[in-house]
Amino acid sequence: MNPPASGPLEDSAPAGGTQSVLQPAGPRRRVIFWRHGRTAWNAARRFQGQSDIPLDDVGERQAERSAALLAGKLAALPAPGAVRIISSDLARAFSTAQALSVLTGVPISVDRRLRETYGGRWEGLSFEEIERAHPAELKLWQLDEPNVRAGGGETRTDVASRMVAAILEAMAGLPEGGTLVVATHGGATRVALAKLLGLPENLWRTLSGLSNCHWSVVEQSQPSLAGASEWHWRLTEHNVGTLPQPFEAPEDLAEPVED
């Protein structure tokens, strides 16, 4: 399956002196949530939701660069089957996953449950347009009110539930020390992380979103023979990319992109 490719975000930093801060997995299973690269709608500050917008040229470079960093760390994992890659079926996420698949030889499994939030009538609008037309609704959405529907589409809890179900299903059979790479979207990642970590809904906003082609990592808090649905998780890395990294405005000063 080859959804159309196109490209991600800001220009790549110089290769010299760049290093990944992804830590070794050890004996515990882990999940790497990896946001796709930039798209033209990201650059234009438009609500993408489930609109199938490809990577732009910058995004393609971002995907290649971050895939190389992740592949270098994943290469240290033992035994065939220790790495799995799953992806949203939207082109921007799948194209990002392909960059890692090419380097590692690990095939991609596609799951539409890993899509971004369905934004209904908001999709394609800039955030300025949404704020002018639906100021009260947007404010509640940004505060993570659990039952507010983005543009009449999905709620935060809808997205978290389908994301976590897909991830736990994919974890089944993953060996100890294995890693699941999830190529997905910014808003969907944030609420899935919060739910997986067991945060109450009123605290979901304490987690920031991810920058394009950055990742977050959770690992089992302790090895367990129980099924994945009974594992407990801890956050070991969040919104990580590379060092050094070009300056980016903090999330509360940047656009509230849901992509």
Side-chain angles (χ1 to χ4, degrees):
M1 176 177 183
N2 289 292
S6 210
L9 187 108
E10 70 273 319
D11 289 327
S12 298
T18 298
Q19 66 181 40
S20 166
V21 294
L22 182 64
Q23 299 299 312
R28 297 183 176 92
R29 299 170 183 87
R30 71 180 175 189
V31 181
I32 299 174
F33 291 85
W34 186 26
R35 185 188 173 194
H36 62 79
R38 195 184 78 170
T39 71
W41 279 21
N42 285 152
R45 303 181 68 249
R46 294 189 180 280
F47 193 117
Q48 289 186 117
Q50 295 188 7
S51 299
D52 201 6
I53 310 304
L55 299 178
D56 65 15
D57 290 343
V58 173
E60 290 177 346
R61 295 197 298 273
Q62 289 177 326
E64 291 171 0
R65 183 175 183 230
S66 60
L69 292 167
L70 288 174
K73 296 300 183 180
L74 294 173
L77 293 180
V83 178
R84 293 182 183 175
I85 302 172
I86 60 174
S87 175
S88 160
D89 63 337
L90 298 179
R92 57 191 182 271
F94 187 84
S95 296
T96 301
Q98 279 184 309
L100 183 60
S101 178
V102 167
L103 293 176
T104 61
V106 177
I108 304 166
S109 296
V110 173
D111 193 324
R112 63 180 288 118
R113 291 176 293 179
L114 301 175
R115 286 184 171 196
E116 184 55 281
T117 306
Y118 172 56
R121 61 182 175 274
W122 289 358
E123 294 196 8
L125 299 179
S126 70
F127 281 90
E128 290 80 3
E129 290 169 334
I130 297 170
E131 188 168 19
R132 285 197 300 270
H134 311 282
E137 186 181 1
L138 180 62
K139 183 65 173 179
L140 290 174
W141 174 255
Q142 291 173 342
L143 291 173
D144 285 346
E145 290 294 330
N147 297 316
V148 173
R149 297 187 176 276
E154 287 184 293
T155 67
R156 298 286 195 195
T157 52
D158 289 338
V159 178
S161 294
R162 61 171 167 78
M163 284 281 293
V164 169
I167 289 163
L168 294 182
E169 184 179 303
M171 291 295 292
L174 193 71
E176 281 196 9
T179 295
L180 177 69
V181 180
V182 183
T184 184
H185 307 268
T189 287
R190 189 172 65 80
V191 296
L193 273 173
K195 185 175 179 64
L196 201 60
L197 293 168
L199 294 179
E201 291 170 359
N202 66 316
L203 294 181
W204 283 12
R205 193 63 186 168
T206 61
L207 289 176
S208 69
L210 299 184
S211 301
N212 287 110
C213 271
H214 282 46
W215 59 80
S216 292
V217 183
V218 295
E219 67 175 25
Q220 283 180 275
S221 59
Q222 57 188 17
S224 172
L225 296 177
S229 62
E230 297 179 43
W231 295 346
H232 297 283
W233 302 88
R234 63 183 180 186
L235 182 66
T236 60
E237 301 171 42
H238 184 56
N239 199 23
V240 170
T242 61
L243 295 174
Q245 187 72 8
F247 173 80
E248 293 184 35
E251 186 184 280
D252 59 350
L253 299 180
E255 72 274 15
V257 168
E258 203 71 31
D259 69 351

